[in-house]
Structure formats: C-alpha cells, structure tokens
Amino acid sequence: MSLRIATFNIENLITRFDFTGFRNQLRADRVLKLFEIKTELGYQQLEAARVVATTDDTRQLSALAIADADADILCLQEVDNMEALQAFEYGYLFRMVGAGYRQKYIIEGNDSRGIDVAVLMREQTRDGERIELVDIKSHAALTYRTLSLYHTGLGPNLQPDDKIFKRDCLELDLRIGGRPLTLYVLHLKSMTNGRDGVDGREMTRPVREAELKAVRHIIENRFGKEHVAGMNFIICGDLNDYQERVDVIGERRRGYRFEPVGGLNSALDVLSGDGFVENVMLRRDVLDRWTLYHARGPQEQHLCQLDYIWLSPALARANPTVVPDIIRNGQPFRTPFPPGQDIERYPRVGWDRPKASDHCPVAISLHIP
C-alpha cells in the first residue's frame, strides 16, 4: 500500500484586498508606483483591478503544480479561510484533477494576516485504501509559559503568555487503510529582514526553535518518549529555516556558479540533532534539495530548502530508498537552476510573476507499515 503526501506554501490564497499601500509605500505594489494616483479611492480601484487581473494566472499555475504533485493528502500553507480553499478547489484544482479532494480541513491560527495551514485529502489512496480522519486538533493556544519555553532571547516584543506558534501546529490523526498515521502541519515564524547588522534569519531563529521544541513536546506527550521512534508520524510544512543552502554566484548575463554551504546553525537542529525525525530530502543530491530561490540583488542570492516532509524513525525505516519529488515547473524564469535541473515551465509563467508560488511543492510516496 502506498500513500502519497505533499506540502505546498501556496502563497497568499486570500479573499481580501490590501489597500494599505496608499498610505504606506512599503506595502504598495511596484506597478502602482509607476503611476501618479491622487486619491485613496482611485488607489483602491486600481489595486483591486491589479489583483483580480493577475490572480487568475497565478491560481492556474498553483493548480498545475498541485496536480503534478498528485498527492492523496495535500498540506497547504498561507490559506485565508475555508471559503478561499473551496473557491480555489472548485474553480481551479477541480479542472486539473477532477473531484479528488473532498475532505478539507482548516482551523484559524495565530497569524496576524489571517493566513492558516490547511489539509486536503482524497477519500482513498490511488491503491484504493480508505483515508479516514479520526481526530483533528489545533495547538494554536499554547503559550511559552505553558511549556516553560520563555526566555529573553526570544526578542523584546515577546512575553511569557504569548502564543508559541506564529500560525499553528495542526495535528491530524488518520487511518490509511486501517493503519494509523499522525500528521503535524506547520508554518513557522518567517525570516524577517535583518537590522542593526544582525541577519534576519538568525534574529528570528529562537522563535522557530521554541516552535519546534513545542512540536517535540506535543509528539512526546502524545506517544511517550520511549515509544516515539516506533510510531507512524510525519511533520511537514514551511519551516522558514534551513541547515544548508546553495549560494548562487554571478548574474544572468555572465552566468552562474552554484556553491553548497552546509553546517549552518538552524532551528531545525531541534528535530534532527538526535535523530528524532529524518529529513528525507537529504537523500537527494546536495544541489538538488532546494524549494525556494532567495535574492536581494546579485550580491545576495541563494537556493534553499524551506519546505519539509520529516519522517518518524519508523516511517524512515519502512521507506529506506524513497526519495521526495520537488515540482519546480511553476518557478519564475528569474530563478537560476543548477546544471542538469532544467525543466519546462508551465504556460504563462513570467520572469518574476505570474508563478505558481515562491515555494515549490514537495511530494513523497510512502509505505505505511
């Protein structure tokens, strides 16, 4: 029996317009800055038109990427609400895959923008095994004080009674053909822009470390520390951190070279340091593990993995040769690909936009023991 699971940060699947750019230029879309817009009403009309005009292409590309992931269970990040999820599934995804994802789950979390994690599931696997939801639980209410995780290094704006998860840790108890599987879906604290000479990733790392310590606590409390290694569970989502990256050196006209950099300090060490779970992406070549391209001009650009499917030791042992797939066809043309990784982009993909997302879906087919 095989179960295929995927994770994808679909990037701002929202049902609202953001008009704050009229008063805050940092929030204004770059194309509107090309025009002189004198009134707030005029700005709102143009911004709404811009978003509507570009969203159709974007969501067609998102749906194509999901269709190519071809998962029985799809974990999403940056979903506004159930209405947005249903509208996307019916208007776009249905056209690519048919009536596949009848089971949809989303619980409002802690994100200040209102974007949440969500899960879509088929009623059965490709092999005909039934996919059942036994229970679903949000851990958004957990505080630093509750788990004794507060310390001043978290940052000056955080207090002991603040919520640990910046979005949520969504826990789903499933049965796949009668076999138990527990799924933990995450979207961790974002890497912000640095300030005062401190790198943004390093500055926000303590928050992500606390989030992942909370995830370990949840799992160990659920199964018992002595039994964790023998349980079937998966941790997946956009974890906004990496233990290695591929530096992209050069520019489009002169060409690029790609240099892997490993051994980086990371919040992910909380998961991997003692073999608590396995990042199966490490089964791919070091230049071929990336799911996102980051660039702030030619002097700062790299490829890195932000999107993860971590397997419990039991699942890793049951799937010793399985390698995850990365769907990169929806990446914009500005993304430089290392040698040998060229793919055919989806129709209408642009230089920077439209694109399926800034992230790539990751999918894996697993035997559930």
Side-chain angles (χ1 to χ4, degrees), residues 221-245:
N221 187 61
R222 164 72 190 279
F223 298 118
K225 284 187 178 182
E226 67 278 13
H227 301 301
V228 165
M231 297 294 119
N232 291 339
F233 67 89
I234 299 171
I235 302 170
C236 68
D238 174 5
L239 304 193
N240 269 314
D241 211 337
Y242 49 85
Q243 295 170 309
E244 60 183 19
R245 67 174 187 266

Side-chain angles (χ1 to χ4, degrees), residues 23 96 133 183 185 188 258 270 314 333-334 344:
R23 302 186 184 282
M96 307 292 177
L133 176 70
L183 182 61
V185 187
L188 298 189
F258 301 87
V270 173
F333 280 92
R334 73 182 182 93
E344 182 179 355

